[in-house]
């Protein structure tokens, strides 16, 4: 005969839920008898308790949550508690007890540490990636009889007509022609210092003397013969080292760094930065450069930009007017590269850096910080904080442009002393 109350079986006995069992599982919800709060009901006959079998203790009835005998036993049912739960948000002593408040100071600290760590790792990785892409091919230690260094930093910036890496279709689209080798298409001296930046164009047809020099490949010394020729002939004869030697000899100004870019690289940089906005002073149409541009403010893509800086036959001042356009465009390009929309946008920054670094040729001592300083200096020129000019010209000799010796001497002295330039160019 089953001695357990109706609805109970032997399987229920082993669980022990709700009777101090060591099991961590909560007791299943079940319908509880309604407990009446308030005063103790008067004694009297009540409904008889169900029979209990041997070994089953008499269960206490509850009044005000207390069992008979006042032993303080409380199953928790009278407060709506469920074993294993939060206790209705109440802890010992009846005090409210919720989820611990988040430690915001700790969270902010670790978030800041994580962000800083990511930025540092990204910056360091970008630096080494960019540094590895610089083509340090020019050895200025091969340049002999150099002038003494002055104040500030002087860069020789060269645009060559190199077609290296370009396909025939690209040469056709960019109107570069198919000539082999490379020659200088533009040359500029950029001086940076405490009194602003100065950008000076050296016309390719400048009349200069080729001095004695040591061959960059042969190591053989070639004595001076007093030969005078166009400035761009120095580059064609023995490359960047002889060009640096010739500029230093004819100006007396020591050049600290050398930077060169070819046709294809120039166009790629412009396209990578999303085009460059510039105000063109006049309509330009030139079959040789491929320029077909209207007067006014507009954004030039790589092909249009290359045509613009190469045009000289459609300009009244020929090479002198072309050098002014080159200065204007390079300053605008530097300003475009240095904008937040480029620097803070990795989808634009990395393609721009990749296009530029792949196509630049620099001297062996050039670092990324030197390159960045050069771009910021060029940006300051376009922003009005610097000076742009042509090398002072006094006339022509045999079709070559002759420099104004007195003005050039004063200009170089001001640059050496890092003084504000007062000399005007053409």
């Amino acid at each position: 005969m089953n001695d357990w109350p109706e609805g109970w079986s032997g399987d229920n006995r082993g669980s022990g839920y709700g009777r101090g069992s060591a099991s961590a599982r909560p007791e299943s919800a079940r319908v509880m008898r309604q407990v009446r709060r308030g005063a103790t009901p008067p004694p009297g006959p009540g409904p008889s308790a169900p029979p209990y079998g041997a070994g089953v203790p008499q269960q206490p009835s509850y009044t005000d949550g207390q069992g008979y005998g006042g032993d303080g036993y409380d199953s928790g049912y009278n407060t709506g508690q469920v074993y294993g739960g939060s206790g209705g948000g109440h802890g010992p002593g009846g005090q409210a007890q919720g989820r611990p408040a988040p430690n915001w100071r700790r969270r902010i600290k670790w978030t800041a540490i994580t962000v800083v760590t990511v930025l540092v790792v990204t910056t360091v990785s970008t630096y080494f990636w960019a540094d590895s892409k610089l083509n340090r091919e020019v050895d200025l230690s091969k340049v002999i009889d150099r002038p003494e260094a002055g104040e500030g930093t002087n860069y020789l910036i060269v645009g060559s007509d190199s077609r290296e890496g370009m396909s025939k279709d690209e040469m056709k689209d960019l109107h570069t022609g198919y000539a082999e080798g490379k020659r200088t298409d533009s040359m500029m001296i950029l001086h940076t210092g405490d009194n602003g930046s100065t950008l000076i164009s050296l016309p390719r047809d400048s009349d200069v003397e080729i001095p004695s020099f040591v061959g960059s490949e042969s190591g053989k010394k070639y004595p001076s013969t007093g030969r005078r020729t166009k400035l761009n002939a120095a580059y064609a004869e023995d490359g960047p080292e002889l060009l640096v030697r010739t500029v230093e000899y004819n100006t007396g100004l020591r050049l600290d760094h050398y930077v060169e870019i070819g046709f294809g690289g120039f166009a790629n940089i412009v396209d990578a930065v999303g085009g460059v906005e510039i105000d063109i002073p006049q309509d330009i149409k030139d079959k040789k450069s491929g320029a077909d541009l209207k007067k006014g403010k507009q954004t030039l893509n790589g092909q249009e930009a290359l045509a613009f800086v190469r045009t000289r036959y459609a300009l009244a001042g020929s090479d002198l007017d072309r050098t002014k356009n080159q200065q204007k465009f390079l300053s605008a390009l530097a300003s475009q590269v240095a904008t937040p929309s480029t620097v803070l946008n990795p989808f634009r920054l990395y393609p721009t850096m990749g296009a530029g670094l792949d196509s630049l040729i620099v001297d062996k001592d050039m670092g990324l910080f030197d390159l960045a300083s050069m771009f910021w200096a060029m940006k300051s020129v376009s922003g009005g904080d610097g000076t742009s000019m042509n090398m002072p010209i006094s006339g022509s000799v045999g079709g070559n442009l002759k420099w104004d010796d007195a003005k050039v001497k004063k200009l170089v002295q001001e640059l050496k002393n890092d003084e504000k330039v007062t000399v005007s160019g053409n």
Side-chain angles (χ1 to χ4, degrees):
M1 179 176 179
N2 189 350
D3 294 330
W4 290 90
E6 185 179 355
W8 285 65
S9 68
D11 294 336
N12 298 113
R13 284 182 291 175
S15 66
Y17 297 154
R19 288 185 170 83
S21 169
S23 172
R25 291 184 296 173
E27 184 177 14
S28 301
R30 58 187 177 185
V31 178
M32 301 302 300
R33 71 180 70 179
Q34 187 173 10
V35 178
R36 181 176 180 180
R37 304 289 182 174
T40 303
S48 59
Y52 290 86
V56 179
Q58 176 75 24
Q59 299 299 302
S61 61
Y62 294 90
T63 303
D64 267 346
Q66 301 294 325
Y68 293 127
D71 58 0
Y73 174 79
D74 188 349
S75 70
Y77 295 142
N78 58 324
T79 61
Q81 291 178 313
V82 177
Y83 290 129
S86 63
H90 295 277
Q95 296 179 353
Q97 193 177 48
R99 180 180 297 177
N103 189 334
W104 288 109
R105 180 177 297 179
R106 180 182 178 86
R107 290 188 179 185
I108 293 173
K109 171 186 174 182
W110 284 107
T111 299
I113 291 175
T114 302
V115 171
V116 170
T117 301
V118 171
L119 287 176
V120 170
V121 171
T122 302
T123 301
V124 172
S125 301
T126 299
Y127 176 86
F128 283 106
W129 167 77
D131 188 73
S132 67
K133 294 179 75 67
L134 273 179
N135 300 311
R136 296 183 174 94
E137 299 178 7
V138 180
D139 189 357
L140 296 183
S141 67
K142 296 180 180 180
V143 180
I144 62 174
D145 301 333
R146 308 192 67 186
E148 292 185 2
E151 300 294 328
T153 303
N154 299 309
Y155 300 82
L156 180 60
I157 303 172
V158 174
S160 76
D161 64 359
S162 171
R163 298 157 178 84
E164 185 177 352
M166 296 174 62
S167 66
K168 289 187 176 181
D169 287 340
E170 289 174 328
M171 294 180 194
K172 180 179 179 180
D173 292 339
L174 296 176
H175 297 271
T176 64
Y178 304 97
E180 295 182 357
K182 58 182 182 179
R183 289 147 292 276
T184 52
D185 204 58
S186 62
M187 292 159 283
M188 302 178 190
I189 294 175
L190 174 66
H191 173 84
T192 65
D194 295 333
N195 286 290
S197 302
T198 303
L199 186 61
I200 308 164
S201 285
L202 308 176
R204 57 184 288 178
D205 295 338
S206 296
D207 184 71
V208 296
E209 179 181 339
I210 302 296
S212 60
F213 67 97
V214 173
S216 58
E217 297 294 336
S218 66
K220 179 181 177 181
K221 184 171 183 178
Y222 296 88
S224 173
T225 61
R227 175 169 56 100
R228 301 191 72 86
T229 185
K230 294 180 179 181
L231 179 59
N232 66 339
Y235 183 96
E237 186 171 333
D238 197 52
E241 289 84 0
L242 179 55
L243 178 61
V244 170
R245 167 75 173 131
T246 302
V247 172
E248 289 188 341
Y249 178 82
N250 285 269
T251 62
L253 182 69
R254 186 184 180 100
L255 301 173
D256 301 289
H257 293 293
Y258 178 91
V259 181
E260 177 186 325
I261 187 169
F263 282 165
F266 179 83
N268 288 339
I269 292 176
V270 175
D271 285 334
V273 82
V276 176
E277 185 179 72
I278 190 169
D279 191 359
I280 299 178
Q282 66 181 73
D283 291 348
I284 298 176
K285 192 172 183 64
D286 184 0
K287 290 183 178 180
K288 290 193 174 183
S289 69
D292 187 6
L293 305 170
K294 300 297 181 181
K295 177 181 178 180
K297 184 176 292 186
Q298 55 200 282
T299 299
L300 304 183
N301 60 28
Q303 178 181 340
E304 295 166 336
L306 183 60
F308 175 69
V309 299
R310 292 183 60 222
T311 295
R312 63 170 175 162
Y313 295 104
L315 305 176
S318 188
D319 202 37
L320 292 178
D321 282 349
R322 181 175 71 159
T323 56
K324 293 177 182 178
N325 286 342
Q326 290 171 345
Q327 290 178 347
K328 185 175 183 178
F329 187 86
L330 288 178
S331 296
L333 174 60
S335 297
Q336 182 73 21
V337 170
T339 57
S341 62
T342 298
V343 176
L344 300 180
N345 183 354
F347 297 103
R348 178 170 290 181
L349 175 62
Y350 285 97
T352 301
M353 291 179 64
L357 296 173
D358 279 341
S359 56
L360 289 178
I361 295 175
V362 300
D363 64 271
K364 293 184 180 297
D365 294 327
M366 173 74 85
L368 289 177
F369 290 108
D370 299 311
L371 195 60
S373 177
M374 183 192 80
F375 270 95
W376 282 107
M378 293 182 67
K379 179 182 178 181
S380 70
V381 171
S382 66
D385 295 329
T387 302
S388 60
M389 58 185 289
N390 277 323
M391 187 64 83
I393 304 296
S394 63
S396 63
V397 177
N400 298 339
L401 298 174
K402 180 174 174 53
W403 293 351
D404 188 318
D405 293 336
K407 285 187 176 182
V408 170
K409 183 177 180 180
K410 184 177 181 179
L411 171 63
V412 169
Q413 193 62 36
E414 290 175 338
L415 295 177
K416 279 187 172 182
N417 296 332
D418 194 24
E419 300 172 347
K420 188 172 180 61
V421 172
T422 61
V423 178
S424 60
N426 297 79

